[in-house]
Amino acid sequence: MKQVTHASFSDLLSTLSYDPRKDTLFLAGDILAKSSEAGSLAILDFLSQRQRGECHPDIEPKFPGKASDATPGALYGAKCRSVYAVRGNHDQMIVQWRAWREWFEPLQLTFPSADLYPRRFHVPTLSSLTSTQSTTYNAGPPVGTGSQFLALIETEWLRDRTADPGGSSADPEEWVDIARKRAAGTWRAEWWKRIPHPGKGRLSKDWIMFGDHYWIARDMKPEHARFLFSLPLVIHVPSEHFFLVHGGLLPSDPRRPSDDKRQPLGHPPSSDDIIGHDEDAQYDYALLDVGSDQDALHGVGEGRSASANITGDEIEEMRAVQERAVLHDVPHNRDPWVILNIRGVRKSGKATRRSDKGKHWAKIWNGQMKRCGGFVDDAGERALPRASLVDDTQGKDSGDDEDDSPLPCYPSTVVYGHAASRDLDVRRWTVGLDTGCLYGRRLTSLVLQRRHPRSESPTLTVPTDEDDEDGEDDESSDEEEDELDELDEHAADGPLGSVNSRYARVAGGSAVSRRRTPKSWTRPIRFGDKSSHLDAKLVSVRCPKAEDFGGP
């Protein structure tokens, strides 16, 4: 079985000439369950050791002309820069299983003799679903701990799958459902009560027992688990005004107008702001409580005209606070499921993981970032002219808001993964990097380097949203969405079909041709606003063809 992600990750690091002692590495989530179990655990070894500042000799790239530096002896134990990552939706499923196992395994239950649990008749086995014959089920002697019960049913499932690979055991969900029904009235039922049922609705992919996420959670080391538990949902880099997230973010609450004064971009940040969460009661799901950062602004601009007297340092501080307000004042950005899974927003304001339903969240983000005109005072005077924030050459396209009036904000960028069906999707204020390595396509990175003060920024084509239409926004049920989402999640081409099989969208609607598939390619892009001192480029490597993950 090919370890696609592990091998491709190492190949990409080598192509980048990645130096772990000088370079800082960020990952956009779904670092696991994208290859074999062995490949996932190898990457966890690398990341958990790097989190402790240790170099991992088995995955470090070989540097041409630096053989002495690249030897395992030189790298092992050397102090390296930490790796930063956000949690992906697949990582979250593993976290859930691991946290549950750590609770379940030490549980102890006391049972009377197995003889007190009579054998049951008419048990609903798979054969009895199509037959009227009676069946007897012997639950066997009781086990006293959760770890013993898991070992028992894992052994039984692997045994049944081996004995009848084409039968019910080939489908873990069907096997588990039958095992639950068989256990009714026996000591086993007490243990099954404590094992989660598969999720429903938008959580339909969660808690699939004996799936790939389950086995990785079982077999990872304690240090692997600690690393995964520590992963945040969002990384905010205020100095460079960008966010790293797996699924996506929204610049405003889609249930209100974008220029509503309660929106984080609808007003300049001020120490007088009182931002409440009164609308949380109307939100359908539990939200994270992340607090407010308004106290950070005490003293900024007090007693002065905002447009005339705010210094550059104070503007930077206000920008950082407003960017944090995007995280805590937009309810969707405090919903973990949305952050991990969002691909679009329906007309109702609900997030969807379907890429062909609603408006793609990146189009919403770019449309509002283009409207940022700087901070304003009560008289409506801009602190900076809008031309200094966005590019004059950047035309209005199909993804923009219909309202083109300026907002009192500064633009920020979101870098994300998750949307393999969209392939490489680079817009002015969003960078989608998932290029489907799992499906044998490519693994792509964004490289940011501090520009030398005297160097000129390269002339680049401005990315746009043209030739990218929204999907129809019919309000399908959760069940229908889940069925269709299964195709979207695992399709190699996705809704863009042959377009993405040949091209990757980059800059100005142009494309990197995929008729030929070079082993690696590099292309510069524009990143950040005009005050940014970063040079940015995309580096992509070809991935080997993938095989299905098979578990143990």
PDB file of all heavy atoms in Angstrom, residues 349-384:
ATOM      1  N   GLY A 349     -28.266  31.799   5.050  1.00  0.00           N
ATOM      2  CA  GLY A 349     -27.170  32.151   5.935  1.00  0.00           C
ATOM      3  C   GLY A 349     -26.517  30.948   6.586  1.00  0.00           C
ATOM      4  O   GLY A 349     -25.571  31.102   7.359  1.00  0.00           O
ATOM      5  N   LYS A 350     -26.985  29.740   6.271  1.00  0.00           N
ATOM      6  CA  LYS A 350     -26.390  28.531   6.834  1.00  0.00           C
ATOM      7  C   LYS A 350     -25.199  28.085   5.992  1.00  0.00           C
ATOM      8  O   LYS A 350     -25.220  28.166   4.771  1.00  0.00           O
ATOM      9  CB  LYS A 350     -27.427  27.406   6.903  1.00  0.00           C
ATOM     10  CG  LYS A 350     -28.528  27.639   7.917  1.00  0.00           C
ATOM     11  CD  LYS A 350     -29.445  26.432   8.018  1.00  0.00           C
ATOM     12  CE  LYS A 350     -30.515  26.639   9.090  1.00  0.00           C
ATOM     13  NZ  LYS A 350     -31.408  25.455   9.204  1.00  0.00           N
ATOM     14  N   ALA A 351     -24.174  27.594   6.689  1.00  0.00           N
ATOM     15  CA  ALA A 351     -22.996  27.071   6.000  1.00  0.00           C
ATOM     16  C   ALA A 351     -23.288  25.675   5.476  1.00  0.00           C
ATOM     17  O   ALA A 351     -24.055  24.910   6.070  1.00  0.00           O
ATOM     18  CB  ALA A 351     -21.804  27.039   6.953  1.00  0.00           C
ATOM     19  N   THR A 352     -22.675  25.329   4.358  1.00  0.00           N
ATOM     20  CA  THR A 352     -22.793  23.999   3.789  1.00  0.00           C
ATOM     21  C   THR A 352     -21.416  23.499   3.389  1.00  0.00           C
ATOM     22  O   THR A 352     -20.541  24.282   3.039  1.00  0.00           O
ATOM     23  CB  THR A 352     -23.728  23.987   2.556  1.00  0.00           C
ATOM     24  OG1 THR A 352     -23.722  22.676   1.969  1.00  0.00           O
ATOM     25  CG2 THR A 352     -23.263  24.998   1.512  1.00  0.00           C
ATOM     26  N   ARG A 353     -21.228  22.188   3.460  1.00  0.00           N
ATOM     27  CA  ARG A 353     -19.957  21.623   2.994  1.00  0.00           C
ATOM     28  C   ARG A 353     -20.033  21.193   1.538  1.00  0.00           C
ATOM     29  O   ARG A 353     -19.070  20.688   0.984  1.00  0.00           O
ATOM     30  CB  ARG A 353     -19.535  20.459   3.870  1.00  0.00           C
ATOM     31  CG  ARG A 353     -20.483  19.285   3.904  1.00  0.00           C
ATOM     32  CD  ARG A 353     -19.994  18.243   4.901  1.00  0.00           C
ATOM     33  NE  ARG A 353     -20.979  17.213   5.137  1.00  0.00           N
ATOM     34  CZ  ARG A 353     -20.944  16.392   6.173  1.00  0.00           C
ATOM     35  NH1 ARG A 353     -19.979  16.497   7.058  1.00  0.00           N
ATOM     36  NH2 ARG A 353     -21.865  15.467   6.341  1.00  0.00           N
ATOM     37  N   ARG A 354     -21.188  21.412   0.930  1.00  0.00           N
ATOM     38  CA  ARG A 354     -21.340  21.124  -0.487  1.00  0.00           C
ATOM     39  C   ARG A 354     -20.706  22.238  -1.314  1.00  0.00           C
ATOM     40  O   ARG A 354     -21.016  23.413  -1.127  1.00  0.00           O
ATOM     41  CB  ARG A 354     -22.820  21.000  -0.842  1.00  0.00           C
ATOM     42  CG  ARG A 354     -23.503  19.785  -0.248  1.00  0.00           C
ATOM     43  CD  ARG A 354     -23.189  18.531  -1.055  1.00  0.00           C
ATOM     44  NE  ARG A 354     -23.471  18.735  -2.466  1.00  0.00           N
ATOM     45  CZ  ARG A 354     -24.694  18.719  -2.989  1.00  0.00           C
ATOM     46  NH1 ARG A 354     -25.746  18.558  -2.219  1.00  0.00           N
ATOM     47  NH2 ARG A 354     -24.849  18.899  -4.291  1.00  0.00           N
ATOM     48  N   SER A 355     -19.838  21.903  -2.238  1.00  0.00           N
ATOM     49  CA  SER A 355     -19.187  22.930  -3.055  1.00  0.00           C
ATOM     50  C   SER A 355     -20.072  23.414  -4.197  1.00  0.00           C
ATOM     51  O   SER A 355     -19.765  24.437  -4.819  1.00  0.00           O
ATOM     52  CB  SER A 355     -17.874  22.379  -3.634  1.00  0.00           C
ATOM     53  OG  SER A 355     -18.125  21.273  -4.467  1.00  0.00           O
ATOM     54  N   ASP A 356     -21.172  22.727  -4.465  1.00  0.00           N
ATOM     55  CA  ASP A 356     -22.049  23.144  -5.560  1.00  0.00           C
ATOM     56  C   ASP A 356     -23.358  23.739  -5.053  1.00  0.00           C
ATOM     57  O   ASP A 356     -24.311  23.877  -5.802  1.00  0.00           O
ATOM     58  CB  ASP A 356     -22.352  21.954  -6.481  1.00  0.00           C
ATOM     59  CG  ASP A 356     -23.068  20.815  -5.765  1.00  0.00           C
ATOM     60  OD1 ASP A 356     -23.012  20.774  -4.515  1.00  0.00           O
ATOM     61  OD2 ASP A 356     -23.669  19.965  -6.445  1.00  0.00           O
ATOM     62  N   LYS A 357     -23.403  24.107  -3.778  1.00  0.00           N
ATOM     63  CA  LYS A 357     -24.593  24.715  -3.201  1.00  0.00           C
ATOM     64  C   LYS A 357     -24.235  26.055  -2.575  1.00  0.00           C
ATOM     65  O   LYS A 357     -23.215  26.189  -1.900  1.00  0.00           O
ATOM     66  CB  LYS A 357     -25.224  23.801  -2.137  1.00  0.00           C
ATOM     67  CG  LYS A 357     -25.727  22.474  -2.692  1.00  0.00           C
ATOM     68  CD  LYS A 357     -26.853  22.675  -3.690  1.00  0.00           C
ATOM     69  CE  LYS A 357     -27.345  21.352  -4.258  1.00  0.00           C
ATOM     70  NZ  LYS A 357     -28.395  21.555  -5.281  1.00  0.00           N
ATOM     71  N   GLY A 358     -25.087  27.041  -2.783  1.00  0.00           N
ATOM     72  CA  GLY A 358     -24.860  28.349  -2.198  1.00  0.00           C
ATOM     73  C   GLY A 358     -23.711  29.074  -2.866  1.00  0.00           C
ATOM     74  O   GLY A 358     -23.261  28.734  -3.966  1.00  0.00           O
ATOM     75  N   LYS A 359     -23.209  30.103  -2.209  1.00  0.00           N
ATOM     76  CA  LYS A 359     -22.075  30.887  -2.706  1.00  0.00           C
ATOM     77  C   LYS A 359     -20.819  30.446  -1.974  1.00  0.00           C
ATOM     78  O   LYS A 359     -20.799  30.313  -0.758  1.00  0.00           O
ATOM     79  CB  LYS A 359     -22.313  32.383  -2.479  1.00  0.00           C
ATOM     80  CG  LYS A 359     -21.116  33.251  -2.883  1.00  0.00           C
ATOM     81  CD  LYS A 359     -21.368  34.733  -2.692  1.00  0.00           C
ATOM     82  CE  LYS A 359     -22.177  35.290  -3.838  1.00  0.00           C
ATOM     83  NZ  LYS A 359     -22.221  36.778  -3.798  1.00  0.00           N
ATOM     84  N   HIS A 360     -19.777  30.222  -2.743  1.00  0.00           N
ATOM     85  CA  HIS A 360     -18.510  29.807  -2.152  1.00  0.00           C
ATOM     86  C   HIS A 360     -18.052  30.874  -1.155  1.00  0.00           C
ATOM     87  O   HIS A 360     -18.046  32.069  -1.449  1.00  0.00           O
ATOM     88  CB  HIS A 360     -17.474  29.632  -3.262  1.00  0.00           C
ATOM     89  CG  HIS A 360     -16.146  29.111  -2.785  1.00  0.00           C
ATOM     90  ND1 HIS A 360     -16.015  28.245  -1.732  1.00  0.00           N
ATOM     91  CD2 HIS A 360     -14.884  29.351  -3.237  1.00  0.00           C
ATOM     92  CE1 HIS A 360     -14.735  27.963  -1.548  1.00  0.00           C
ATOM     93  NE2 HIS A 360     -14.026  28.625  -2.444  1.00  0.00           N
ATOM     94  N   TRP A 361     -17.656  30.438   0.047  1.00  0.00           N
ATOM     95  CA  TRP A 361     -17.301  31.396   1.093  1.00  0.00           C
ATOM     96  C   TRP A 361     -16.149  32.301   0.664  1.00  0.00           C
ATOM     97  O   TRP A 361     -16.070  33.470   1.080  1.00  0.00           O
ATOM     98  CB  TRP A 361     -16.959  30.677   2.397  1.00  0.00           C
ATOM     99  CG  TRP A 361     -15.632  29.943   2.345  1.00  0.00           C
ATOM    100  CD1 TRP A 361     -15.423  28.635   2.048  1.00  0.00           C
ATOM    101  CD2 TRP A 361     -14.342  30.514   2.572  1.00  0.00           C
ATOM    102  NE1 TRP A 361     -14.081  28.336   2.074  1.00  0.00           N
ATOM    103  CE2 TRP A 361     -13.402  29.472   2.394  1.00  0.00           C
ATOM    104  CE3 TRP A 361     -13.883  31.785   2.895  1.00  0.00           C
ATOM    105  CZ2 TRP A 361     -12.030  29.676   2.545  1.00  0.00           C
ATOM    106  CZ3 TRP A 361     -12.508  31.994   3.037  1.00  0.00           C
ATOM    107  CH2 TRP A 361     -11.601  30.951   2.872  1.00  0.00           C
ATOM    108  N   ALA A 362     -15.232  31.797  -0.179  1.00  0.00           N
ATOM    109  CA  ALA A 362     -14.090  32.613  -0.603  1.00  0.00           C
ATOM    110  C   ALA A 362     -14.540  33.790  -1.464  1.00  0.00           C
ATOM    111  O   ALA A 362     -13.928  34.857  -1.449  1.00  0.00           O
ATOM    112  CB  ALA A 362     -13.075  31.754  -1.360  1.00  0.00           C
ATOM    113  N   LYS A 363     -15.620  33.614  -2.224  1.00  0.00           N
ATOM    114  CA  LYS A 363     -16.148  34.720  -3.023  1.00  0.00           C
ATOM    115  C   LYS A 363     -16.745  35.789  -2.115  1.00  0.00           C
ATOM    116  O   LYS A 363     -16.611  36.996  -2.376  1.00  0.00           O
ATOM    117  CB  LYS A 363     -17.194  34.205  -4.006  1.00  0.00           C
ATOM    118  CG  LYS A 363     -16.627  33.237  -5.035  1.00  0.00           C
ATOM    119  CD  LYS A 363     -17.699  32.677  -5.943  1.00  0.00           C
ATOM    120  CE  LYS A 363     -18.194  33.706  -6.917  1.00  0.00           C
ATOM    121  NZ  LYS A 363     -19.118  33.120  -7.915  1.00  0.00           N
ATOM    122  N   ILE A 364     -17.399  35.359  -1.040  1.00  0.00           N
ATOM    123  CA  ILE A 364     -17.934  36.319  -0.076  1.00  0.00           C
ATOM    124  C   ILE A 364     -16.791  37.083   0.573  1.00  0.00           C
ATOM    125  O   ILE A 364     -16.836  38.324   0.706  1.00  0.00           O
ATOM    126  CB  ILE A 364     -18.781  35.586   0.981  1.00  0.00           C
ATOM    127  CG1 ILE A 364     -19.979  34.889   0.330  1.00  0.00           C
ATOM    128  CG2 ILE A 364     -19.242  36.551   2.072  1.00  0.00           C
ATOM    129  CD1 ILE A 364     -20.768  34.005   1.284  1.00  0.00           C
ATOM    130  N   TRP A 365     -15.757  36.375   0.979  1.00  0.00           N
ATOM    131  CA  TRP A 365     -14.617  37.012   1.633  1.00  0.00           C
ATOM    132  C   TRP A 365     -13.960  38.032   0.699  1.00  0.00           C
ATOM    133  O   TRP A 365     -13.714  39.175   1.083  1.00  0.00           O
ATOM    134  CB  TRP A 365     -13.605  35.957   2.073  1.00  0.00           C
ATOM    135  CG  TRP A 365     -12.464  36.498   2.861  1.00  0.00           C
ATOM    136  CD1 TRP A 365     -11.324  37.095   2.383  1.00  0.00           C
ATOM    137  CD2 TRP A 365     -12.357  36.536   4.292  1.00  0.00           C
ATOM    138  NE1 TRP A 365     -10.510  37.495   3.406  1.00  0.00           N
ATOM    139  CE2 TRP A 365     -11.120  37.151   4.595  1.00  0.00           C
ATOM    140  CE3 TRP A 365     -13.169  36.102   5.329  1.00  0.00           C
ATOM    141  CZ2 TRP A 365     -10.687  37.346   5.910  1.00  0.00           C
ATOM    142  CZ3 TRP A 365     -12.733  36.283   6.634  1.00  0.00           C
ATOM    143  CH2 TRP A 365     -11.514  36.898   6.909  1.00  0.00           C
ATOM    144  N   ASN A 366     -13.680  37.624  -0.534  1.00  0.00           N
ATOM    145  CA  ASN A 366     -13.011  38.521  -1.471  1.00  0.00           C
ATOM    146  C   ASN A 366     -13.872  39.729  -1.803  1.00  0.00           C
ATOM    147  O   ASN A 366     -13.366  40.855  -1.934  1.00  0.00           O
ATOM    148  CB  ASN A 366     -12.636  37.762  -2.742  1.00  0.00           C
ATOM    149  CG  ASN A 366     -11.366  36.958  -2.584  1.00  0.00           C
ATOM    150  OD1 ASN A 366     -10.273  37.442  -2.812  1.00  0.00           O
ATOM    151  ND2 ASN A 366     -11.516  35.702  -2.171  1.00  0.00           N
ATOM    152  N   GLY A 367     -15.191  39.516  -1.945  1.00  0.00           N
ATOM    153  CA  GLY A 367     -16.076  40.626  -2.257  1.00  0.00           C
ATOM    154  C   GLY A 367     -16.060  41.700  -1.184  1.00  0.00           C
ATOM    155  O   GLY A 367     -16.077  42.899  -1.480  1.00  0.00           O
ATOM    156  N   GLN A 368     -16.001  41.281   0.093  1.00  0.00           N
ATOM    157  CA  GLN A 368     -16.004  42.274   1.174  1.00  0.00           C
ATOM    158  C   GLN A 368     -14.618  42.869   1.403  1.00  0.00           C
ATOM    159  O   GLN A 368     -14.499  44.052   1.747  1.00  0.00           O
ATOM    160  CB  GLN A 368     -16.562  41.654   2.444  1.00  0.00           C
ATOM    161  CG  GLN A 368     -18.042  41.320   2.310  1.00  0.00           C
ATOM    162  CD  GLN A 368     -18.708  40.950   3.624  1.00  0.00           C
ATOM    163  OE1 GLN A 368     -18.272  41.368   4.693  1.00  0.00           O
ATOM    164  NE2 GLN A 368     -19.767  40.157   3.548  1.00  0.00           N
ATOM    165  N   MET A 369     -13.562  42.084   1.211  1.00  0.00           N
ATOM    166  CA  MET A 369     -12.220  42.641   1.376  1.00  0.00           C
ATOM    167  C   MET A 369     -11.943  43.732   0.337  1.00  0.00           C
ATOM    168  O   MET A 369     -11.255  44.717   0.611  1.00  0.00           O
ATOM    169  CB  MET A 369     -11.166  41.538   1.269  1.00  0.00           C
ATOM    170  CG  MET A 369     -11.163  40.572   2.422  1.00  0.00           C
ATOM    171  SD  MET A 369     -10.882  41.373   4.020  1.00  0.00           S
ATOM    172  CE  MET A 369     -12.301  40.782   4.942  1.00  0.00           C
ATOM    173  N   LYS A 370     -12.501  43.575  -0.872  1.00  0.00           N
ATOM    174  CA  LYS A 370     -12.296  44.590  -1.910  1.00  0.00           C
ATOM    175  C   LYS A 370     -12.967  45.917  -1.540  1.00  0.00           C
ATOM    176  O   LYS A 370     -12.612  46.959  -2.084  1.00  0.00           O
ATOM    177  CB  LYS A 370     -12.859  44.100  -3.239  1.00  0.00           C
ATOM    178  CG  LYS A 370     -12.048  42.999  -3.880  1.00  0.00           C
ATOM    179  CD  LYS A 370     -12.666  42.588  -5.202  1.00  0.00           C
ATOM    180  CE  LYS A 370     -11.885  41.461  -5.849  1.00  0.00           C
ATOM    181  NZ  LYS A 370     -12.472  41.091  -7.157  1.00  0.00           N
ATOM    182  N   ARG A 371     -13.913  45.868  -0.643  1.00  0.00           N
ATOM    183  CA  ARG A 371     -14.629  47.085  -0.250  1.00  0.00           C
ATOM    184  C   ARG A 371     -13.937  47.826   0.898  1.00  0.00           C
ATOM    185  O   ARG A 371     -14.355  48.922   1.253  1.00  0.00           O
ATOM    186  CB  ARG A 371     -16.053  46.729   0.160  1.00  0.00           C
ATOM    187  CG  ARG A 371     -16.912  46.199  -0.972  1.00  0.00           C
ATOM    188  CD  ARG A 371     -18.244  45.683  -0.470  1.00  0.00           C
ATOM    189  NE  ARG A 371     -18.983  46.693   0.276  1.00  0.00           N
ATOM    190  CZ  ARG A 371     -20.051  46.436   1.018  1.00  0.00           C
ATOM    191  NH1 ARG A 371     -20.495  45.189   1.128  1.00  0.00           N
ATOM    192  NH2 ARG A 371     -20.670  47.407   1.659  1.00  0.00           N
ATOM    193  N   CYS A 372     -12.894  47.240   1.482  1.00  0.00           N
ATOM    194  CA  CYS A 372     -12.230  47.874   2.612  1.00  0.00           C
ATOM    195  C   CYS A 372     -11.603  49.199   2.175  1.00  0.00           C
ATOM    196  O   CYS A 372     -10.802  49.246   1.235  1.00  0.00           O
ATOM    197  CB  CYS A 372     -11.156  46.955   3.193  1.00  0.00           C
ATOM    198  SG  CYS A 372     -11.819  45.588   4.170  1.00  0.00           S
ATOM    199  N   GLY A 373     -11.971  50.281   2.871  1.00  0.00           N
ATOM    200  CA  GLY A 373     -11.477  51.599   2.521  1.00  0.00           C
ATOM    201  C   GLY A 373     -10.716  52.280   3.637  1.00  0.00           C
ATOM    202  O   GLY A 373     -10.540  53.502   3.608  1.00  0.00           O
ATOM    203  N   GLY A 374     -10.265  51.531   4.633  1.00  0.00           N
ATOM    204  CA  GLY A 374      -9.553  52.134   5.749  1.00  0.00           C
ATOM    205  C   GLY A 374     -10.503  52.537   6.860  1.00  0.00           C
ATOM    206  O   GLY A 374     -11.722  52.521   6.698  1.00  0.00           O
ATOM    207  N   PHE A 375      -9.959  52.897   7.994  1.00  0.00           N
ATOM    208  CA  PHE A 375     -10.781  53.295   9.123  1.00  0.00           C
ATOM    209  C   PHE A 375     -11.276  54.733   8.936  1.00  0.00           C
ATOM    210  O   PHE A 375     -10.580  55.570   8.371  1.00  0.00           O
ATOM    211  CB  PHE A 375      -9.988  53.176  10.431  1.00  0.00           C
ATOM    212  CG  PHE A 375      -9.541  51.780  10.715  1.00  0.00           C
ATOM    213  CD1 PHE A 375      -8.235  51.514  11.080  1.00  0.00           C
ATOM    214  CD2 PHE A 375     -10.418  50.720  10.588  1.00  0.00           C
ATOM    215  CE1 PHE A 375      -7.815  50.218  11.337  1.00  0.00           C
ATOM    216  CE2 PHE A 375     -10.016  49.415  10.839  1.00  0.00           C
ATOM    217  CZ  PHE A 375      -8.706  49.165  11.214  1.00  0.00           C
ATOM    218  N   VAL A 376     -12.475  55.003   9.407  1.00  0.00           N
ATOM    219  CA  VAL A 376     -13.088  56.318   9.217  1.00  0.00           C
ATOM    220  C   VAL A 376     -13.513  56.883  10.558  1.00  0.00           C
ATOM    221  O   VAL A 376     -13.742  56.151  11.520  1.00  0.00           O
ATOM    222  CB  VAL A 376     -14.313  56.228   8.283  1.00  0.00           C
ATOM    223  CG1 VAL A 376     -13.904  55.725   6.914  1.00  0.00           C
ATOM    224  CG2 VAL A 376     -15.383  55.324   8.867  1.00  0.00           C
ATOM    225  N   ASP A 377     -13.644  58.210  10.601  1.00  0.00           N
ATOM    226  CA  ASP A 377     -14.167  58.829  11.807  1.00  0.00           C
ATOM    227  C   ASP A 377     -15.663  59.084  11.636  1.00  0.00           C
ATOM    228  O   ASP A 377     -16.283  58.670  10.657  1.00  0.00           O
ATOM    229  CB  ASP A 377     -13.413  60.118  12.117  1.00  0.00           C
ATOM    230  CG  ASP A 377     -13.561  61.157  11.010  1.00  0.00           C
ATOM    231  OD1 ASP A 377     -14.374  60.949  10.082  1.00  0.00           O
ATOM    232  OD2 ASP A 377     -12.868  62.170  11.087  1.00  0.00           O
ATOM    233  N   ASP A 378     -16.252  59.781  12.585  1.00  0.00           N
ATOM    234  CA  ASP A 378     -17.698  60.015  12.547  1.00  0.00           C
ATOM    235  C   ASP A 378     -18.115  60.837  11.338  1.00  0.00           C
ATOM    236  O   ASP A 378     -19.266  60.767  10.889  1.00  0.00           O
ATOM    237  CB  ASP A 378     -18.152  60.725  13.822  1.00  0.00           C
ATOM    238  CG  ASP A 378     -18.019  59.831  15.043  1.00  0.00           C
ATOM    239  OD1 ASP A 378     -17.988  58.596  14.841  1.00  0.00           O
ATOM    240  OD2 ASP A 378     -17.933  60.360  16.172  1.00  0.00           O
ATOM    241  N   ALA A 379     -17.181  61.631  10.811  1.00  0.00           N
ATOM    242  CA  ALA A 379     -17.509  62.443   9.636  1.00  0.00           C
ATOM    243  C   ALA A 379     -17.394  61.658   8.341  1.00  0.00           C
ATOM    244  O   ALA A 379     -17.673  62.169   7.269  1.00  0.00           O
ATOM    245  CB  ALA A 379     -16.575  63.657   9.571  1.00  0.00           C
ATOM    246  N   GLY A 380     -16.952  60.410   8.462  1.00  0.00           N
ATOM    247  CA  GLY A 380     -16.848  59.579   7.273  1.00  0.00           C
ATOM    248  C   GLY A 380     -15.573  59.774   6.502  1.00  0.00           C
ATOM    249  O   GLY A 380     -15.468  59.341   5.349  1.00  0.00           O
ATOM    250  N   GLU A 381     -14.563  60.429   7.096  1.00  0.00           N
ATOM    251  CA  GLU A 381     -13.303  60.637   6.395  1.00  0.00           C
ATOM    252  C   GLU A 381     -12.426  59.406   6.557  1.00  0.00           C
ATOM    253  O   GLU A 381     -12.242  58.890   7.653  1.00  0.00           O
ATOM    254  CB  GLU A 381     -12.580  61.869   6.961  1.00  0.00           C
ATOM    255  CG  GLU A 381     -13.372  63.162   6.826  1.00  0.00           C
ATOM    256  CD  GLU A 381     -12.656  64.325   7.475  1.00  0.00           C
ATOM    257  OE1 GLU A 381     -11.453  64.185   7.744  1.00  0.00           O
ATOM    258  OE2 GLU A 381     -13.296  65.353   7.700  1.00  0.00           O
ATOM    259  N   ARG A 382     -11.843  58.945   5.450  1.00  0.00           N
ATOM    260  CA  ARG A 382     -11.004  57.758   5.504  1.00  0.00           C
ATOM    261  C   ARG A 382      -9.646  58.103   6.112  1.00  0.00           C
ATOM    262  O   ARG A 382      -9.075  59.155   5.862  1.00  0.00           O
ATOM    263  CB  ARG A 382     -10.789  57.175   4.102  1.00  0.00           C
ATOM    264  CG  ARG A 382     -12.046  56.643   3.461  1.00  0.00           C
ATOM    265  CD  ARG A 382     -11.677  55.813   2.225  1.00  0.00           C
ATOM    266  NE  ARG A 382     -12.873  55.400   1.529  1.00  0.00           N
ATOM    267  CZ  ARG A 382     -13.419  56.076   0.544  1.00  0.00           C
ATOM    268  NH1 ARG A 382     -12.870  57.184   0.130  1.00  0.00           N
ATOM    269  NH2 ARG A 382     -14.510  55.633  -0.042  1.00  0.00           N
ATOM    270  N   ALA A 383      -9.118  57.154   6.906  1.00  0.00           N
ATOM    271  CA  ALA A 383      -7.785  57.337   7.453  1.00  0.00           C
ATOM    272  C   ALA A 383      -6.742  57.227   6.349  1.00  0.00           C
ATOM    273  O   ALA A 383      -5.717  57.872   6.373  1.00  0.00           O
ATOM    274  CB  ALA A 383      -7.511  56.303   8.538  1.00  0.00           C
ATOM    275  N   LEU A 384      -7.020  56.373   5.370  1.00  0.00           N
ATOM    276  CA  LEU A 384      -6.135  56.208   4.224  1.00  0.00           C
ATOM    277  C   LEU A 384      -6.997  56.113   2.977  1.00  0.00           C
ATOM    278  O   LEU A 384      -8.104  55.582   3.026  1.00  0.00           O
ATOM    279  CB  LEU A 384      -5.275  54.938   4.348  1.00  0.00           C
ATOM    280  CG  LEU A 384      -4.129  54.980   5.368  1.00  0.00           C
ATOM    281  CD1 LEU A 384      -3.484  53.609   5.445  1.00  0.00           C
ATOM    282  CD2 LEU A 384      -3.096  56.022   4.975  1.00  0.00           C
TER     283      LEU A 384
END
